[in-house]
Amino acid sequence: MTDAEKTKKLRKDVAPFAQSELKTSILQIFNTIVPLLVIWAAGYYLLQFSPWYTVACSVLASGFVVRTFIIFHDCTHGSFFKSKKANDLVGNITGILTSFPYQKWKREHTIHHATSSNLDKRGIGDIDMLTVDEYLEKSKLSRFGYRLYRNPIVMFGLGPLYMVLVLNRVNRKDAKQKERLNTYFTNIALVVICTTLILIFGWQTFLLVHAITLFIAGSLGIWLFYIQHTYEDSYFEYDTDWDYVKAAVEGSSYYKLPKILQWITGNIGFHHVHHLAPRVPNYKLEEAHESIPPLQRATTITLKTSVESIRYKLYDPERKKFVSFKEVEELIRIREKSLKSKNMKAISK
């Protein structure tokens, strides 16, 4: 079979899984959103006995926020319900619960899917990444800024704060009116809810319950997004050679997690399946992976091996792999030494 025939067959094989099931979707709402609200309520109630009980509830709630976000994510793809109105309704509700404006994220994430692993179309819905040559062309100050951005403490520590407080609160310049109004609606809803909770329980209690929850959930979310596209031999190509199916299957990993973490993360570890067919609901991703042999050849990452990806900072298009700053620093020294040698020869002449 030619590559085109293989692509056609793969898409045909995954198509039957791109159907939502009303019963399963409703069940997910009850086993995800309801427990989240109950745990948050318990966090407020248990504070009178010990703040540590509240912290424990906040940590537990963060897992359910991640799972709630997966429902939100499915709604933006139109895969959680067959009805567009149902997807929009639940998407907006889960967006408020997780602090994400529905229309804004829907558009930007759609762009991410259409351009994932395309080196010529980076910048929307992605974690910023430079190629080796792009990094080498930067000034020392710009390199320092990029290194700071890719530092784990900044990315997974300050990243959630920036995402919740800044990035999710404003629209891009090219946003249409519908998207802008939806972001304003989400922001107003959040202000009303947060203000009400603060007036009733106090700002310290509010932060103890919700700040911890959203911070941990945000860190986990950024980590999942990072690890599923950043591994040594991840697929990246310039636009002329870029291929959608290769970007999905070779540019998105299979993050093999323990069952409890797989449940909390809504099967998003089967990211290669999701990128190949975004209309497959989260509860059918594993079944699709297990049923279609070519999908099982995707790069598999475990909890242990995923930690190694923290050191990957730049992509080298020539070697088709991610590299660390340490490897690039050696290349910089070689280039500077070569340039110095050329200058000395020029002077001697």
Side-chain angles (χ1 to χ4, degrees):
M1 295 175 67
T2 64
D3 286 345
E5 289 172 334
K6 289 179 181 178
T7 297
K8 186 177 180 180
K9 185 178 186 308
L10 190 56
R11 284 184 157 178
K12 183 179 179 181
D13 289 344
V14 80
F17 300 96
Q19 297 289 332
S20 64
E21 296 175 356
L22 182 61
K23 187 176 180 180
T24 305
S25 295
I26 292 175
L27 177 62
Q28 279 203 338
I29 289 175
F30 278 98
N31 67 25
T32 303
I33 299 175
V34 173
L36 171 61
L37 297 177
V38 170
I39 294 167
W40 269 337
Y44 282 105
Y45 174 75
L46 293 174
L47 184 61
Q48 62 185 308
F49 302 106
S50 170
W52 291 109
Y53 292 157
T54 299
V55 171
C57 286
S58 298
V59 173
L60 181 60
S62 66
F64 283 89
V65 168
V66 171
R67 188 167 163 82
T68 299
F69 178 81
I70 297 303
I71 293 176
F72 164 85
H73 170 256
D74 274 11
C75 288
T76 64
H77 283 293
S79 64
F80 199 65
F81 294 109
K82 292 179 182 178
S83 165
K84 182 181 182 300
K85 288 184 178 179
N87 280 314
D88 289 347
L89 175 63
V90 174
N92 276 293
I93 293 172
T94 51
I96 292 170
L97 289 174
T98 56
S99 88
F100 281 81
Y102 178 70
Q103 293 294 344
K104 167 183 163 64
W105 203 82
K106 179 179 180 179
R107 181 175 72 95
E108 293 179 3
H109 192 60
T110 299
I111 294 172
H112 162 70
H113 271 262
T115 60
S116 180
S117 296
N118 189 321
L119 291 171
D120 286 317
K121 296 181 179 179
R122 287 166 285 166
I124 299 180
D126 302 316
I127 290 176
D128 289 349
M129 179 205 73
L130 294 177
T131 64
V132 172
D133 285 339
E134 288 168 345
Y135 178 77
L136 294 177
E137 290 169 1
K138 297 283 185 182
S139 66
K140 288 186 177 181
L141 183 61
S142 295
R143 289 180 192 173
F144 173 75
Y146 181 75
R147 292 176 76 101
L148 194 64
Y149 170 80
R150 300 287 294 201
N151 184 288
I153 295 175
V154 174
M155 183 170 288
F156 307 115
L158 298 180
L161 299 177
Y162 176 73
M163 180 174 65
V164 171
L165 298 176
V166 181
L167 195 62
N168 286 354
R169 308 281 66 87
V170 297
N171 289 106
R172 295 178 63 88
K173 292 181 179 180
D174 60 346
K176 300 289 178 63
Q177 185 180 28
K178 181 180 179 181
E179 181 180 326
R180 291 182 184 279
L181 291 176
N182 182 257
T183 300
Y184 300 152
F185 166 76
T186 303
N187 290 345
I188 292 170
L190 286 172
V191 168
V192 170
I193 293 170
C194 294
T195 301
T196 302
L197 290 173
I198 289 171
L199 290 175
I200 295 173
F201 300 104
W203 67 268
Q204 297 97 329
T205 304
F206 171 80
L207 289 179
L208 198 61
V209 174
H210 294 283
I212 292 176
T213 297
L214 291 178
F215 176 77
I216 296 175
S219 294
L220 291 173
I222 293 173
W223 169 253
L224 286 169
F225 195 82
Y226 173 88
I227 196 61
Q228 305 230 243
H229 293 287
T230 308
Y231 47 94
E232 188 172 17
D233 58 349
S234 182
Y235 172 89
F236 280 89
E237 282 289 356
Y238 289 103
D239 194 44
T240 52
D241 298 315
W242 182 83
D243 179 82
Y244 179 85
V245 173
K246 285 187 177 181
V249 181
E250 298 177 23
S252 303
S253 67
Y254 163 36
Y255 198 10
K256 190 174 183 179
L257 296 169
K259 285 297 180 181
I260 182 64
L261 293 181
Q262 183 181 323
W263 187 86
I264 288 172
T265 58
N267 295 313
I268 201 62
F270 298 95
H271 212 60
H272 57 303
V273 183
H274 169 65
H275 262 265
L276 177 65
R279 294 300 294 269
V280 176
N282 72 83
Y283 45 80
K284 288 188 177 182
L285 292 173
E286 181 176 16
E287 185 183 359
H289 171 82
E290 297 294 340
S291 303
I292 305 172
L295 293 179
Q296 296 164 23
R297 293 197 288 270
T299 299
T300 302
I301 296 174
T302 63
L303 280 176
K304 182 179 179 181
T305 59
S306 66
V307 178
E308 299 172 5
S309 291
I310 293 176
R311 68 188 183 91
Y312 297 132
K313 311 295 185 180
L314 300 158
Y315 191 76
D316 187 344
E318 292 183 8
R319 291 189 286 171
K320 307 291 184 185
K321 59 183 287 190
F322 271 100
V323 296
S324 66
F325 283 134
K326 186 177 180 180
E327 293 174 83
V328 176
E329 284 169 1
E330 180 61 29
L331 180 59
I332 291 173
R333 283 193 289 271
I334 293 172
R335 288 192 177 188
E336 289 179 343
K337 187 177 179 180
S338 175
L339 181 62
K340 187 177 180 180
S341 176
K342 288 180 180 179
N343 288 337
M344 291 297 290
K345 287 180 179 180
I347 293 171
S348 64
K349 289 180 179 180

